[in-house]
Amino acid sequence: MSCAYELRCVSCGRVYAAEQAPDYLCSACAEQYTPGLPLRGVLECVYDYAAWRAEHERGAALHEVLWPCSAAELARVPLRVGGTPLYDVPRLAERADVAAVWVKDDTTEPTGSYKDRATQLVLAMALRRGITHVTCASTGNAACSLAGLSAAAGVHAHIFVSARAPRAKLAQIAAYGAELIAVDGTYDDCFEMSIRATRAHGWYNRNTAYNPWTIEGKKSAGWELGLQCGARVPDQVFVPTGDGVIISGIYKGLCDLIQLGWLEKMPRLVAVQPEGSCAIARALAAGGGGRDARHPNAHSVADSLVVSAPRNAELALKAVRASAGYAVCVSDDDILRALTELAELTGVYAEPAAAAAWAGLLAARAHGHIAARESAALLVTGTGLKDSAAAERAVALRRAEHRRQHKEYS
Protein backbone atom coordinates (compact mmCIF):
# COMPACT_ATOMS: atom_id res chain seq x y z
CA MET A 1 0.00 0.00 0.00
CA SER A 2 1.35 3.44 -0.88
CA CYS A 3 1.25 6.31 1.60
CA ALA A 4 0.59 10.05 1.38
CA TYR A 5 3.85 11.93 1.13
CA GLU A 6 5.53 15.23 0.31
CA LEU A 7 9.05 16.12 -0.76
CA ARG A 8 11.31 18.41 1.26
CA CYS A 9 14.48 20.13 0.07
CA VAL A 10 17.43 19.25 2.31
CA SER A 11 19.15 22.53 1.40
CA CYS A 12 16.49 25.24 1.82
CA GLY A 13 13.69 23.32 3.55
CA ARG A 14 11.04 24.08 0.92
CA VAL A 15 8.23 21.52 0.92
CA TYR A 16 6.45 20.28 -2.22
CA ALA A 17 3.17 18.42 -2.36
CA ALA A 18 3.61 15.12 -4.16
CA GLU A 19 1.73 16.18 -7.28
CA GLN A 20 3.62 19.50 -7.53
CA ALA A 21 7.17 18.32 -6.86
CA PRO A 22 9.87 18.66 -9.52
CA ASP A 23 11.29 15.48 -11.01
CA TYR A 24 14.77 16.04 -9.68
CA LEU A 25 16.15 18.91 -7.58
CA CYS A 26 14.34 21.63 -5.66
CA SER A 27 13.24 24.26 -8.19
CA ALA A 28 14.83 27.14 -6.27
CA CYS A 29 18.10 25.38 -5.46
CA ALA A 30 18.43 23.87 -8.93
CA GLU A 31 19.35 27.34 -10.16
CA GLN A 32 22.58 26.90 -8.20
CA TYR A 33 23.47 23.67 -10.00
CA THR A 34 27.17 23.70 -10.86
CA PRO A 35 28.65 20.90 -12.96
CA GLY A 36 31.35 19.04 -11.09
CA LEU A 37 30.18 20.05 -7.61
CA PRO A 38 28.04 18.24 -5.02
CA LEU A 39 24.34 18.89 -5.53
CA ARG A 40 22.18 21.43 -3.75
CA GLY A 41 18.42 20.99 -3.59
CA VAL A 42 18.26 17.23 -3.12
CA LEU A 43 14.69 16.22 -2.25
CA GLU A 44 13.74 13.91 0.62
CA CYS A 45 10.45 12.06 0.95
CA VAL A 46 8.37 12.67 4.09
CA TYR A 47 5.30 10.57 4.92
CA ASP A 48 2.13 10.63 6.96
CA TYR A 49 3.55 8.13 9.43
CA ALA A 50 0.51 7.98 11.68
CA ALA A 51 -1.77 7.07 8.80
CA TRP A 52 0.54 4.34 7.54
CA ARG A 53 1.08 2.80 10.96
CA ALA A 54 -2.67 2.67 11.57
CA GLU A 55 -2.94 0.16 8.72
CA HIS A 56 0.26 -1.86 9.30
CA GLU A 57 1.83 -4.02 11.97
CA ARG A 58 5.52 -4.21 12.73
CA GLY A 59 5.65 -7.96 12.14
CA ALA A 60 4.42 -7.62 8.56
CA ALA A 61 6.44 -4.52 7.71
CA LEU A 62 9.55 -6.47 6.72
CA HIS A 63 7.71 -7.54 3.59
CA GLU A 64 6.19 -4.14 2.73
CA VAL A 65 8.45 -1.11 2.84
CA LEU A 66 6.94 2.33 3.41
CA TRP A 67 7.16 3.77 -0.09
CA PRO A 68 5.26 6.22 -2.35
CA CYS A 69 4.02 3.49 -4.68
CA SER A 70 1.98 0.35 -4.28
CA ALA A 71 3.09 -3.27 -4.37
CA ALA A 72 1.34 -3.61 -7.73
CA GLU A 73 3.38 -0.72 -9.15
CA LEU A 74 6.62 -2.24 -7.83
CA ALA A 75 5.66 -5.54 -9.43
CA ARG A 76 5.92 -3.92 -12.85
CA VAL A 77 9.66 -4.42 -12.31
CA PRO A 78 9.33 -8.22 -12.16
CA LEU A 79 12.54 -9.20 -10.39
CA ARG A 80 12.86 -9.91 -6.67
CA VAL A 81 14.67 -6.97 -5.08
CA GLY A 82 15.53 -6.57 -1.40
CA GLY A 83 14.77 -8.97 1.41
CA THR A 84 18.45 -9.91 1.53
CA PRO A 85 19.88 -12.06 4.33
CA LEU A 86 21.44 -10.76 7.53
CA TYR A 87 24.08 -13.11 8.90
CA ASP A 88 25.35 -13.20 12.47
CA VAL A 89 29.04 -14.08 12.06
CA PRO A 90 30.84 -14.86 15.36
CA ARG A 91 34.11 -15.48 13.50
CA LEU A 92 34.15 -11.87 12.31
CA ALA A 93 33.33 -10.67 15.82
CA GLU A 94 36.24 -12.69 17.22
CA ARG A 95 38.62 -11.41 14.55
CA ALA A 96 37.59 -7.77 15.13
CA ASP A 97 37.41 -8.19 18.93
CA VAL A 98 33.88 -6.84 19.25
CA ALA A 99 30.70 -8.24 20.76
CA ALA A 100 28.94 -9.19 17.52
CA VAL A 101 29.15 -8.63 13.77
CA TRP A 102 26.27 -8.95 11.32
CA VAL A 103 26.68 -9.04 7.54
CA LYS A 104 23.88 -7.58 5.42
CA ASP A 105 24.49 -9.48 2.20
CA ASP A 106 23.34 -7.56 -0.87
CA THR A 107 25.45 -9.63 -3.23
CA THR A 108 22.24 -11.61 -3.72
CA GLU A 109 20.35 -8.83 -5.51
CA PRO A 110 19.21 -9.56 -9.11
CA THR A 111 22.14 -7.81 -10.79
CA GLY A 112 24.55 -8.49 -7.93
CA SER A 113 24.56 -5.14 -6.14
CA TYR A 114 22.75 -2.89 -3.71
CA LYS A 115 21.94 -0.49 -6.54
CA ASP A 116 18.92 -2.63 -7.49
CA ARG A 117 17.09 -1.20 -4.47
CA ALA A 118 17.18 2.31 -5.95
CA THR A 119 16.56 1.18 -9.52
CA GLN A 120 13.41 -0.75 -8.66
CA LEU A 121 11.72 2.30 -7.16
CA VAL A 122 12.96 4.69 -9.87
CA LEU A 123 11.56 2.43 -12.60
CA ALA A 124 8.26 1.94 -10.77
CA MET A 125 7.83 5.71 -10.52
CA ALA A 126 8.79 6.14 -14.19
CA LEU A 127 6.32 3.49 -15.34
CA ARG A 128 3.59 5.14 -13.27
CA ARG A 129 4.01 8.14 -15.61
CA GLY A 130 4.27 6.08 -18.79
CA ILE A 131 8.01 6.74 -19.26
CA THR A 132 9.87 4.07 -21.22
CA HIS A 133 13.33 5.61 -21.75
CA VAL A 134 15.70 5.99 -18.79
CA THR A 135 19.33 6.95 -18.33
CA CYS A 136 22.03 7.15 -15.69
CA ALA A 137 25.71 7.77 -15.08
CA SER A 138 27.66 5.13 -13.22
CA THR A 139 30.99 3.70 -12.20
CA GLY A 140 29.45 0.34 -13.14
CA ASN A 141 26.99 -1.10 -10.64
CA ALA A 142 24.17 1.43 -11.08
CA ALA A 143 24.55 0.97 -14.82
CA CYS A 144 24.30 -2.82 -14.52
CA SER A 145 21.28 -2.39 -12.28
CA LEU A 146 19.43 0.00 -14.57
CA ALA A 147 20.23 -2.14 -17.61
CA GLY A 148 19.09 -5.37 -15.95
CA LEU A 149 15.91 -4.17 -14.28
CA SER A 150 14.96 -2.14 -17.36
CA ALA A 151 15.30 -5.30 -19.45
CA ALA A 152 12.93 -7.08 -17.07
CA ALA A 153 10.43 -4.21 -17.17
CA GLY A 154 10.58 -3.61 -20.93
CA VAL A 155 12.14 -0.16 -20.58
CA HIS A 156 14.87 1.28 -22.81
CA ALA A 157 18.06 2.10 -20.89
CA HIS A 158 20.76 4.52 -22.08
CA ILE A 159 23.86 4.14 -19.94
CA PHE A 160 26.82 6.50 -19.49
CA VAL A 161 29.69 4.64 -17.85
CA SER A 162 33.43 5.15 -17.68
CA ALA A 163 35.32 2.98 -20.15
CA ARG A 164 37.70 2.31 -17.24
CA ALA A 165 35.03 0.32 -15.36
CA PRO A 166 35.81 -3.36 -14.73
CA ARG A 167 35.28 -5.42 -17.88
CA ALA A 168 32.82 -7.71 -16.13
CA LYS A 169 30.52 -4.76 -15.45
CA LEU A 170 30.74 -3.49 -19.02
CA ALA A 171 29.92 -6.97 -20.32
CA GLN A 172 26.97 -7.26 -17.95
CA ILE A 173 25.51 -3.95 -19.16
CA ALA A 174 25.87 -4.97 -22.80
CA ALA A 175 24.35 -8.40 -22.17
CA TYR A 176 21.13 -6.79 -20.96
CA GLY A 177 20.79 -4.99 -24.29
CA ALA A 178 21.12 -1.45 -22.95
CA GLU A 179 22.59 1.32 -25.05
CA LEU A 180 26.08 1.52 -23.56
CA ILE A 181 27.86 4.85 -23.96
CA ALA A 182 31.43 4.17 -22.76
CA VAL A 183 32.97 7.50 -21.78
CA ASP A 184 36.69 8.16 -21.89
CA GLY A 185 36.56 9.94 -18.56
CA THR A 186 35.51 9.76 -14.93
CA TYR A 187 32.20 9.16 -13.20
CA ASP A 188 31.88 12.93 -12.81
CA ASP A 189 32.19 13.30 -16.60
CA CYS A 190 29.51 10.64 -17.10
CA PHE A 191 27.20 12.39 -14.65
CA GLU A 192 27.26 15.67 -16.56
CA MET A 193 26.83 13.93 -19.93
CA SER A 194 23.76 12.09 -18.68
CA ILE A 195 22.21 15.34 -17.43
CA ARG A 196 22.68 16.94 -20.85
CA ALA A 197 21.18 13.87 -22.55
CA THR A 198 18.19 13.97 -20.19
CA ARG A 199 17.47 17.56 -21.18
CA ALA A 200 18.03 16.91 -24.88
CA HIS A 201 16.00 13.69 -25.25
CA GLY A 202 13.48 13.79 -22.39
CA TRP A 203 14.77 10.57 -20.86
CA TYR A 204 14.09 9.90 -17.17
CA ASN A 205 17.31 10.20 -15.15
CA ARG A 206 18.23 7.73 -12.41
CA ASN A 207 21.39 9.53 -11.23
CA THR A 208 21.99 9.11 -7.54
CA ALA A 209 20.67 11.97 -5.39
CA TYR A 210 19.69 13.93 -8.52
CA ASN A 211 16.63 11.66 -8.63
CA PRO A 212 15.05 11.62 -5.13
CA TRP A 213 13.76 8.06 -5.54
CA THR A 214 17.33 6.73 -5.48
CA ILE A 215 17.66 7.73 -1.83
CA GLU A 216 14.20 6.47 -1.02
CA GLY A 217 14.86 3.16 -2.78
CA LYS A 218 18.14 2.62 -0.97
CA LYS A 219 16.51 3.14 2.41
CA SER A 220 15.05 -0.36 2.23
CA ALA A 221 18.28 -1.96 3.52
CA GLY A 222 18.17 0.25 6.62
CA TRP A 223 14.49 -0.60 7.03
CA GLU A 224 15.26 -4.32 6.75
CA LEU A 225 18.25 -4.11 9.07
CA GLY A 226 16.21 -2.42 11.79
CA LEU A 227 13.47 -5.05 11.55
CA GLN A 228 15.72 -8.10 11.12
CA CYS A 229 17.80 -7.27 14.19
CA GLY A 230 14.76 -6.90 16.42
CA ALA A 231 15.84 -5.70 19.85
CA ARG A 232 19.52 -6.30 19.04
CA VAL A 233 20.09 -3.23 16.88
CA PRO A 234 23.84 -2.93 16.19
CA ASP A 235 25.73 -0.12 17.86
CA GLN A 236 27.46 0.86 14.62
CA VAL A 237 26.74 0.28 10.93
CA PHE A 238 29.67 0.34 8.48
CA VAL A 239 28.65 1.65 5.07
CA PRO A 240 30.87 1.82 1.96
CA THR A 241 30.51 5.43 0.84
CA GLY A 242 31.09 7.09 -2.52
CA ASP A 243 28.38 9.50 -3.71
CA GLY A 244 26.76 9.40 -0.26
CA VAL A 245 23.39 8.03 -1.32
CA ILE A 246 23.65 4.61 0.34
CA ILE A 247 24.52 5.97 3.77
CA SER A 248 21.74 8.58 3.41
CA GLY A 249 19.33 5.83 2.47
CA ILE A 250 20.32 3.66 5.45
CA TYR A 251 19.72 6.63 7.73
CA LYS A 252 16.33 7.32 6.11
CA GLY A 253 15.15 3.72 6.55
CA LEU A 254 16.14 3.69 10.21
CA CYS A 255 14.55 7.13 10.74
CA ASP A 256 11.28 5.89 9.27
CA LEU A 257 11.23 3.04 11.78
CA ILE A 258 11.90 5.47 14.64
CA GLN A 259 9.08 7.74 13.42
CA LEU A 260 6.76 4.74 13.39
CA GLY A 261 7.80 3.81 16.94
CA TRP A 262 9.27 0.49 15.83
CA LEU A 263 12.91 1.29 16.56
CA GLU A 264 14.21 2.82 19.78
CA LYS A 265 17.73 3.90 18.90
CA MET A 266 19.69 5.08 15.90
CA PRO A 267 22.97 3.19 15.36
CA ARG A 268 26.08 5.24 14.70
CA LEU A 269 26.62 5.32 10.94
CA VAL A 270 30.21 4.96 9.76
CA ALA A 271 31.13 6.19 6.28
CA VAL A 272 33.92 3.96 4.98
CA GLN A 273 35.94 5.47 2.15
CA PRO A 274 39.16 4.62 0.31
CA GLU A 275 42.11 6.84 1.11
CA GLY A 276 42.25 7.84 -2.55
CA SER A 277 38.59 8.89 -2.66
CA CYS A 278 37.56 10.29 0.71
CA ALA A 279 35.76 13.57 0.01
CA ILE A 280 33.07 13.00 2.63
CA ALA A 281 35.59 11.97 5.28
CA ARG A 282 37.57 15.15 4.59
CA ALA A 283 34.48 17.32 4.90
CA LEU A 284 33.52 15.67 8.19
CA ALA A 285 37.01 16.15 9.62
CA ALA A 286 37.02 19.83 8.60
CA GLY A 287 33.50 20.48 9.87
CA GLY A 288 32.48 21.44 6.35
CA GLY A 289 29.26 21.32 4.38
CA GLY A 290 28.23 19.54 1.22
CA ARG A 291 30.03 21.89 -1.16
CA ASP A 292 33.27 21.29 0.78
CA ALA A 293 33.24 17.58 -0.03
CA ARG A 294 35.81 17.33 -2.82
CA HIS A 295 38.65 14.95 -3.65
CA PRO A 296 40.23 15.90 -6.98
CA ASN A 297 41.66 13.04 -9.04
CA ALA A 298 39.95 10.44 -6.89
CA HIS A 299 41.18 6.86 -7.39
CA SER A 300 40.96 3.45 -5.73
CA VAL A 301 40.78 -0.26 -6.41
CA ALA A 302 37.22 0.09 -5.07
CA ASP A 303 35.91 1.58 -8.32
CA SER A 304 32.33 1.87 -7.07
CA LEU A 305 33.47 4.35 -4.43
CA VAL A 306 35.56 6.58 -6.68
CA VAL A 307 34.05 10.05 -7.07
CA SER A 308 35.71 13.45 -6.89
CA ALA A 309 32.53 15.38 -6.01
CA PRO A 310 29.99 13.22 -4.15
CA ARG A 311 26.62 14.42 -5.40
CA ASN A 312 24.75 13.60 -2.20
CA ALA A 313 27.39 14.97 0.15
CA GLU A 314 25.03 17.38 1.92
CA LEU A 315 22.55 14.72 2.98
CA ALA A 316 25.29 12.18 3.72
CA LEU A 317 27.04 14.58 6.08
CA LYS A 318 23.74 15.29 7.83
CA ALA A 319 23.06 11.56 8.22
CA VAL A 320 26.48 10.79 9.72
CA ARG A 321 26.37 13.75 12.09
CA ALA A 322 22.76 13.15 13.18
CA SER A 323 23.63 9.56 14.08
CA ALA A 324 26.73 10.65 16.03
CA GLY A 325 28.69 8.71 13.45
CA TYR A 326 32.05 9.26 11.83
CA ALA A 327 34.14 8.37 8.79
CA VAL A 328 37.09 6.04 8.42
CA CYS A 329 39.50 5.86 5.49
CA VAL A 330 41.20 2.64 4.43
CA SER A 331 44.00 1.89 1.98
CA ASP A 332 43.62 -0.14 -1.18
CA ASP A 333 45.75 -2.89 0.37
CA ASP A 334 43.45 -2.92 3.41
CA ILE A 335 40.47 -3.30 1.07
CA LEU A 336 42.07 -6.16 -0.85
CA ARG A 337 42.98 -7.94 2.39
CA ALA A 338 39.41 -7.48 3.58
CA LEU A 339 38.08 -9.02 0.35
CA THR A 340 39.83 -12.35 0.90
CA GLU A 341 39.33 -12.36 4.68
CA LEU A 342 35.61 -11.69 4.37
CA ALA A 343 35.29 -14.52 1.87
CA GLU A 344 37.27 -16.92 4.06
CA LEU A 345 35.39 -16.12 7.27
CA THR A 346 31.85 -15.81 5.90
CA GLY A 347 31.63 -17.39 2.44
CA VAL A 348 30.40 -14.02 1.11
CA TYR A 349 32.39 -13.03 -1.98
CA ALA A 350 32.45 -9.24 -2.21
CA GLU A 351 33.81 -6.76 -4.70
CA PRO A 352 36.37 -4.27 -3.30
CA ALA A 353 33.83 -1.51 -2.57
CA ALA A 354 31.73 -3.95 -0.53
CA ALA A 355 34.72 -5.46 1.27
CA ALA A 356 35.63 -1.93 2.36
CA ALA A 357 32.98 -2.21 5.08
CA TRP A 358 34.98 -4.98 6.78
CA ALA A 359 38.23 -3.06 6.32
CA GLY A 360 36.50 -0.08 7.93
CA LEU A 361 35.46 -2.05 11.01
CA LEU A 362 39.01 -3.32 11.51
CA ALA A 363 40.40 0.20 11.15
CA ALA A 364 37.78 1.61 13.53
CA ARG A 365 38.65 -1.02 16.15
CA ALA A 366 42.37 -0.35 15.76
CA HIS A 367 41.81 3.37 16.36
CA GLY A 368 39.44 2.86 19.29
CA HIS A 369 36.33 4.17 17.54
CA ILE A 370 34.38 1.03 18.47
CA ALA A 371 34.72 -0.74 21.81
CA ALA A 372 35.02 -4.47 22.43
CA ARG A 373 31.59 -4.46 24.12
CA GLU A 374 29.89 -2.99 21.05
CA SER A 375 28.30 -4.66 18.02
CA ALA A 376 28.55 -3.82 14.33
CA ALA A 377 26.76 -4.46 11.06
CA LEU A 378 28.55 -4.50 7.70
CA LEU A 379 26.76 -3.47 4.54
CA VAL A 380 28.17 -5.73 1.82
CA THR A 381 26.99 -4.01 -1.31
CA GLY A 382 28.15 -6.02 -4.32
CA THR A 383 29.39 -9.42 -5.48
CA GLY A 384 33.05 -10.16 -6.20
CA LEU A 385 32.02 -11.48 -9.60
CA LYS A 386 31.79 -7.81 -10.63
CA ASP A 387 35.58 -7.43 -10.58
CA SER A 388 37.60 -10.61 -10.94
CA ALA A 389 40.79 -8.66 -11.67
CA ALA A 390 40.65 -7.07 -8.22
CA ALA A 391 40.04 -10.48 -6.64
CA GLU A 392 43.13 -11.80 -8.39
CA ARG A 393 45.12 -8.88 -6.95
CA ALA A 394 43.72 -9.63 -3.50
CA VAL A 395 44.72 -13.29 -3.68
CA ALA A 396 48.20 -12.37 -4.96
CA LEU A 397 48.64 -9.90 -2.08
CA ARG A 398 47.61 -12.52 0.46
CA ARG A 399 50.03 -15.08 -0.99
CA ALA A 400 52.88 -12.57 -1.00
CA GLU A 401 52.23 -11.71 2.65
CA HIS A 402 52.08 -15.39 3.57
CA ARG A 403 55.43 -15.97 1.87
CA ARG A 404 56.99 -13.08 3.79
CA GLN A 405 55.62 -14.44 7.06
CA HIS A 406 56.92 -17.90 6.25
CA LYS A 407 60.43 -16.52 5.65
CA GLU A 408 60.32 -14.61 8.94
CA TYR A 409 59.47 -17.69 10.95
CA SER A 410 61.52 -20.28 9.07
Side-chain angles (χ1 to χ4, degrees), residues 9-88:
C9 175
V10 303
S11 299
C12 72
R14 181 174 178 177
V15 176
Y16 297 89
E19 64 277 4
Q20 298 172 345
D23 289 335
Y24 305 115
L25 304 177
C26 165
S27 301
C29 295
E31 296 176 0
Q32 304 172 45
Y33 179 82
T34 305
L37 288 181
L39 299 173
R40 283 189 58 79
V42 172
L43 297 176
E44 185 177 25
C45 195
V46 181
Y47 297 96
D48 183 344
Y49 292 102
W52 198 81
R53 183 177 178 179
E55 299 185 15
H56 292 79
E57 295 181 358
R58 187 183 193 280
L62 185 57
H63 307 290
E64 186 177 355
V65 180
L66 170 54
W67 267 338
C69 61
S70 67
E73 289 175 307
L74 283 174
R76 296 184 67 183
V77 186
L79 293 177
R80 179 185 172 275
V81 176
T84 59
L86 180 71
Y87 302 123
D88 185 353

Side-chain angles (χ1 to χ4, degrees), residues 239-261:
V239 185
T241 303
D243 238 356
V245 174
I246 293 179
I247 199 164
S248 304
I250 294 293
Y251 179 75
K252 180 59 161 57
L254 294 168
C255 275
D256 280 356
L257 292 176
I258 290 173
Q259 289 291 331
L260 290 165

